[in-house]
Amino acid sequence: MYGEKAYALVKECANHENSLPPYNASLVQEVSNEIRTLVEENQEDAQTSTEETSDSGSVVSTIRLRHAAVKRNLRCLMAYHYNRLRLLRKMRWEFGSILPADIKSNLSPAEIEWFAKYSRSLASYMRSVGDDGLNLAVDLKPPKSLYIEVKCTVDYGRYELNDGTVLLLKKDSRHYLPRSECEELVRQGVFEHIL
Amino acid sequence: MDEAAIEELELSDAESFEEVQLTAAQVIEMMEEAWVNEKFAPEILPHKMEVVDCLLGQIAYMEENLQSLPSTDFKKSIHQLEVDRLRFLVSSYLRTRLEKIETYVTHILKQEQQRHESKEDLYLSKQELKFAKEIAEALKQNFDGLVSFYPGLPLEEWVSQPVQPNMHSFVFLKSKKDVNEVVIDDGSIATEGESDLVDFREGAQILIAYSSVAGLLKKGDVKLI
C-alpha cells in the first residue's frame, strides 16, 4: 500500500525519542522511489487523459489518490529528517561542537554538513554577545552552590583549573570542584555528580 | 527600552560606588522580569539587548574586582556565586530566545520582514537575526537535498504552513498598574461592544489567554509570573 514505508520511517523516529539511530538510507531511498514512481504514473495518466477526453473522469480520481500519497510521503520524509535535526541540535548543546565518533557514524552526509553549519552559526552568535562573547553552553542549570562534589568515572589524565592548579583525574577518584569548571565534564560523562 | 538606555548612561557616568550599586540592582530586576516574561510567553518578545549588555558589563566588572580578592577570603565565594547566578540569568534568557527562534524560524523571519517593511522596531537583535537567517538557510538546504532525487517536487508547504506559537495558551500574569477594559479574546470574532472586558487592578494576578495581553506585555504594563 502507498505510504507504508514512509510510515515506518516516522515510526522509527517515535521509537527513538532520545537517541539518534543510524540514518536509514535504504528506507529513505525506497520512499523516494515510491514518490518518483507515483509522480511518473501520474504524468503518464495526465498525458493520456488529455488525448482521450471521453473517459477522463475515471483517471482524475486515480491521479488525486496518487497525488495525496505523494504529499503524504513527502511530509513523512520531512518529518523524519526534521526530527533527526532536532535531536542533533540537542546534542550540540550537550556535547559541544565535536560529536562523539559513535554518533557521527549514525549520521548522513547532509546531516554532518548541517551540524557543522549550525555549530558555526551558534558559535558566531555566542561570540557576538556582549563585549567579548558569552558561552551559552555553560550554566545550563541554576547554580545552587559554588562547589560540587564529583566522582571521576574514567581515567581522564591531567586537568588544569582556571586558577592554574593541575589535577590528576583518575577513575573513581573524588573531587570537590567549582561547579563552573566541571559542568562540561559532567555533561560529557567524565564526572559523576554526587548529591 | 528608553529606560534601559538612560540607565546605561547613568552607569557609565556614575562615580560613587553607591550609585553603581543602586542601578545594578535595578538592571538585575529588569533582567529578571525580561527573563520570566520570555520564559512563559509562547511567542518571541522584543529583545532587551540593552539590559543584557548592561548586565554583562556589570558581571565583567564584578569578576575583575573578585580577581583582586585573595582566594581565602570568605566574601569571595559568596560574590562568586552571585556572579554565577547572574550569568545563568543572562544565558538562560538568551538560550530561551534561541530556542524559540529555532522552533519558529520561518514564522519569525516572516514577521520580522513585515515589521521591517512597516518600519517598526524589530523583535530580534541584529545578531539573533543573523543567526535566524543562517539556520533557516541551513534547514532549507537540508530539505532541498531531500527531494533532489526528483526535481520539481512541491516543498513549499513547510514555508506556507510554518510552525507557529500557540498564541491562545494561558499565562499567569501580574499587573504592574491599573489597566481598564482589557478585551478578552475568546477566539470568536466579536463585534465592537459585544466582547467581554476585564479591568486589571495594580498588583492583581490573573490567568488569561496570551493573545489578550500580548500588547500590554510588550508595553510593560503587565508581567508574567
Side-chain angles (χ1 to χ4, degrees):
Chain A
M1 213 174 82
Y2 298 145
E4 237 167 41
K5 290 185 190 107
Y7 174 67
L9 210 54
V10 174
K11 192 98 184 156
E12 196 181 294
C13 266
N15 287 342
H16 299 85
E17 253 176 55
N18 290 311
S19 63
L20 204 59
Y23 183 74
N24 201 333
S26 60
L27 199 53
V28 168
Q29 189 59 44
E30 276 177 54
V31 175
S32 307
N33 283 341
E34 192 180 303
I35 296 176
R36 188 184 306 151
T37 333
L38 284 170
V39 172
E40 274 164 7
E41 278 174 5
N42 255 1
Q43 278 174 345
E44 239 168 70
D45 276 0
Q47 208 79 44
T48 47
S49 72
T50 43
E51 282 160 19
E52 315 157 23
T53 39
S54 56
D55 60 297
S56 61
S58 60
V59 186
V60 167
S61 49
T62 325
I63 291 181
R64 283 227 177 105
L65 181 73
R66 287 205 197 106
H67 189 69
V70 168
K71 266 185 131 176
R72 190 189 144 86
N73 278 344
L74 271 179
R75 194 136 191 115
C76 291
L77 263 186
M78 278 166 67
Y80 177 71
H81 287 85
Y82 185 68
N83 264 305
R84 286 179 63 91
L85 291 189
R86 295 294 298 177
L87 275 173
L88 207 53
R89 170 200 185 264
K90 223 170 91 192
M91 286 174 180
R92 167 64 180 86
W93 288 92
E94 268 168 36
F95 300 114
S97 55
I98 297 157
L99 280 177
D102 56 328
I103 290 176
K104 211 165 179 174
S105 61
N106 281 352
L107 299 179
S108 74
E111 280 169 343
I112 291 175
E113 196 189 323
W114 180 86
F115 185 82
K117 261 190 214 141
Y118 180 73
S119 272
R120 222 169 22 234
S121 304
L122 191 63
S124 73
Y125 174 75
M126 291 204 273
R127 266 200 306 278
S128 65
V129 179
D131 290 333
D132 37 73
L134 178 69
N135 186 1
L136 296 178
V138 295
D139 303 307
L140 287 182
K141 289 197 194 101
K144 283 219 166 55
S145 59
L146 198 54
Y147 287 83
I148 56 171
E149 202 176 350
V150 288
K151 193 173 118 183
C152 208
T153 51
V154 287
D155 279 316
Y156 189 78
R158 291 159 71 83
Y159 183 66
E160 193 177 331
L161 299 181
N162 277 349
D163 59 359
T165 358
V166 178
L167 288 173
L168 189 62
L169 303 182
K170 269 199 270 185
K171 193 173 181 328
D172 293 333
S173 61
R174 285 184 175 214
H175 303 273
Y176 193 59
L177 295 173
R179 189 194 41 79
S180 55
E181 305 226 12
C182 50
E183 200 184 344
E184 210 157 323
L185 289 177
V186 171
R187 255 182 298 137
Q188 286 171 8
V190 177
F191 281 149
E192 193 182 318
H193 186 178
I194 306 170
L195 295 170
Chain B
M1 238 19 86
D2 289 331
E3 258 179 69
I6 294 164
E7 284 207 7
E8 214 171 3
L9 277 178
E10 274 177 14
L11 266 179
S12 51
D13 287 342
E15 291 294 324
S16 79
F17 191 61
E18 286 300 311
E19 259 182 85
V20 177
Q21 283 273 306
L22 188 71
T23 39
Q26 280 170 353
V27 171
I28 293 167
E29 207 174 288
M30 287 168 72
M31 187 73 242
E32 268 172 10
E33 195 183 309
W35 174 59
V36 174
N37 282 348
E38 194 69 61
K39 229 178 158 72
F40 292 117
E43 65 160 351
I44 194 143
L45 297 172
H47 71 85
K48 298 259 193 273
M49 280 306 154
E50 296 89 348
V51 187
V52 169
D53 284 341
C54 196
L55 192 56
L56 281 176
Q58 275 295 308
I59 292 174
Y61 175 73
M62 279 167 86
E63 277 192 325
E64 215 171 280
N65 279 357
L66 279 176
Q67 290 289 325
S68 57
L69 280 175
S71 54
T72 47
D73 198 330
F74 176 64
K75 272 187 293 186
K76 183 174 179 172
S77 60
I78 293 179
H79 282 301
Q80 184 69 51
L81 186 58
E82 186 60 24
V83 170
D84 278 6
R85 284 192 174 134
L86 291 181
R87 203 181 305 115
F88 166 76
L89 190 66
V90 179
S91 34
S92 175
Y93 171 71
L94 294 174
R95 265 199 305 272
T96 315
R97 290 182 63 85
L98 282 191
E99 224 168 287
K100 281 188 194 171
I101 291 174
E102 280 176 43
T103 318
Y104 309 122
V105 62
T106 333
H107 176 70
I108 287 177
L109 280 179
K110 215 191 275 173
Q111 281 194 324
E112 289 294 289
Q113 187 64 32
Q114 281 167 5
R115 273 180 210 122
H116 180 71
E117 274 160 16
S118 54
K119 300 267 187 287
E120 284 172 61
D121 283 340
L122 295 183
Y123 280 14
L124 301 187
S125 70
K126 228 193 271 162
Q127 299 95 331
E128 281 170 339
L129 195 62
K130 180 168 164 267
F131 176 76
K133 281 185 179 151
E134 277 172 5
I135 62 161
E137 181 60 27
L139 193 66
K140 189 174 172 300
Q141 273 186 9
N142 192 284
F143 279 161
D144 281 348
L146 203 69
V147 289
S148 56
F149 65 88
Y150 200 94
L153 279 175
L155 256 195
E156 291 82 39
E157 225 171 302
W158 70 279
V159 182
S160 58
Q161 300 175 340
V163 192
Q164 283 184 7
N166 178 12
M167 302 289 276
H168 298 289
S169 61
F170 280 78
V171 289
F172 279 102
L173 64 85
K174 191 170 187 168
S175 187
K176 292 207 289 190
K177 56 173 153 185
D178 289 336
V179 187
N180 288 324
E181 302 199 332
V182 177
V183 180
I184 297 177
D185 175 14
D186 54 359
S188 63
I189 307 155
T191 43
E192 197 65 40
E194 263 181 47
S195 46
D196 292 328
L197 300 175
V198 65
D199 292 343
F200 293 171
R201 221 158 313 135
E202 188 186 338
Q205 298 186 9
I206 296 130
L207 172 67
I208 196 168
Y210 176 75
S211 51
S212 315
V213 290
L216 291 175
L217 181 65
K218 284 163 196 167
K219 261 198 297 182
D221 289 349
V222 298
K223 61 178 177 180
L224 301 185
I225 46 173

